[in-house]
Every structure is written in C-alpha cells, then in structure tokens.
Amino acid sequence: MSLIDLLISSQTALISITFILGLLTGSFLNVVIYRVPVMLQRDWRNQCREFLELDEAQIKTAAPAAQFKVFNLLKPDSHCPYCGSSVRPWQNIPLLSFLLLRGKCASCKHRISARYPLVELATAILSGLVAWKFGANWLTLALLFFTWSLIALTMIDFDHQLLPDNITLPLLWLGLLLSTVDIGLGVSPADAVIGAIAGYLVLWTVYQGFKLITGKEGMGYGDFKLLAMLGAWMGWQSLLLIVILSSLVGAVVGIFLLIFLGRDKNIPLPFGPYLTGAGFIALLWGEQISNLYLNFLVL
C-alpha cells in the first residue's frame, strides 16, 4: 500500500502525518515570524538611505540582525540571539529539543521563549484539524498552506502591528486562482472576485468613517488586504461572519485588557489576529455557525 493510499484509507494516519508535518512547518514559521519583519525593516532602511542619498556610515542603527550582511529566510543559520552560537540540527527538533534542553540554550543556558514550541504545537494542532475536516485531497493541501500563512500573519501582526504585503497579496492572488480550479474549494471565480473587492472595501469604509468622526486611524491598510484575501479564498458570503466574529472577540479582549490588566486605551491593538482567527473558524465551521444562527432566529 502506497503512502497516498494509506492517507486516503485511514483518517488516523492522515491526521498523524499531518500533525507531524505541522510540527516541522511550525518550526519554519518561527523563522518566518522573526525574520520577515527584520527583512522588511532592512529593506525600508536601504530605500530611505538611497532616497536621501546618504552613506551607510551616516545612518546609525540598532536594528535587529544589523550585524549580518545577508539576512533572509535561509541565511544566516539558526543561532542563539543571546550568545550567537549556532543551533545544531539535533537542537532544532520541534518540541522535543525544547524539552531535552529544558527550555535553555545549549551554550549559554539563557532561557528560550516558550513561544517557539507553542507555535509549533499550535501549527500541528490546526493542521490536524484541517486534515480531519477535509480529508486526503488537494483541497486539504491548499488549506494547509492557507492555515500556515494565517499563523505567520497572526504572530507578525501581534509583534509588530504589521501584515506584510509579501504574504497577504500572493495569498490573495492564489485564492483567486484556486477559485478557477475544481479542487473542492466551493467558491466560484465571481464569488472570489467579489469577496476580495468587498473584503477590502468593508474595512476601508469603516476606517474612513472612524477617521472622519474621530480624526484617528482605527486600523491599518494591511487589515483591508487581509480581509480581501479571506474573501478571495472563502467568497463574499463568508465576510459577514468573519467581521462579526473578529469584532466580537476583539471587543471582549480589548475590554478585558482595559479592565483587568490596565492597558492604556490609547495603545492600539492589532486587528489582524482576530481576522485570521475568525477566518479559520469560518473555514472549518462557518456553515454550522450560520445554520445555528438561522435556526435561533426561527425559534
């Protein structure tokens, strides 16, 4: 029996293998989450330097990883941010290495953030959920890539209040492209195009209205592009549910932070994590939630 036949015939095998794949991908996502913003900052800095016609020596910087001449997703090799020692392959096994090292660097013994294994574990669990929901097919493969991208966007926006165009825009175009291919996505090209346009315009309208009333910017343009991307993947029909879910969760979290943690109300909260979370929920259980709501209205 081939691996493909095993995945098709056994849901347990499919979920188990997808879970392991999610762990490995989560390890790579930790690299993406940290390095993509740094890469963008370095690129913006170089663009500003060129525009102002300044020499490198004329700009003092404390930017992360400024000591590396080449800095991308492949180079430099993984290393400890505190002592600079290289991370050996056996020290980079998802979850297992963190446990064996007891959450500390093998060289300097500085504590490693628990967020790294948590991202790996979350990626594995969410990947397993996608496999459980949609089975062994091309749709699951596409939705796994979609889910991994949502995780990266969530953490980057949480850290930097930034939703990189080099992630959201390719995903938007990919969603539009997949709507033309019969892989079970269930979204027609027309629904995808309208979803992308409506997703962008909905938040853009809210942004302009809020700015007109308060004189402040309530969200960033990255949020518009993110909702447009979600509309391209799931169609315009999903947008209302996504907006409602993200707004409710955002309101609850915001109130909790203000009342119980004393967060300054003038410090903005990233909206991207709520959009990505709502998008993932709508992807897996959108139909059931909508039916439950309609049944409630009938009662």
Side-chain angles (χ1 to χ4, degrees), residues 29 144-154 167 171 229 276:
L29 288 183
L144 284 174
F145 181 76
F146 176 73
T147 301
W148 299 336
S149 301
L150 291 183
I151 294 170
L153 288 169
T154 297
I167 298 179
L171 276 173
M229 182 268 286
T276 55

Side-chain angles (χ1 to χ4, degrees), residues 245-266:
L245 286 175
S246 59
S247 299
L248 286 175
V249 175
V252 171
V253 172
I255 292 172
F256 177 83
L257 292 176
L258 287 173
I259 295 177
F260 296 101
L261 300 183
R263 182 185 176 91
D264 188 347
K265 65 180 180 180
N266 294 317

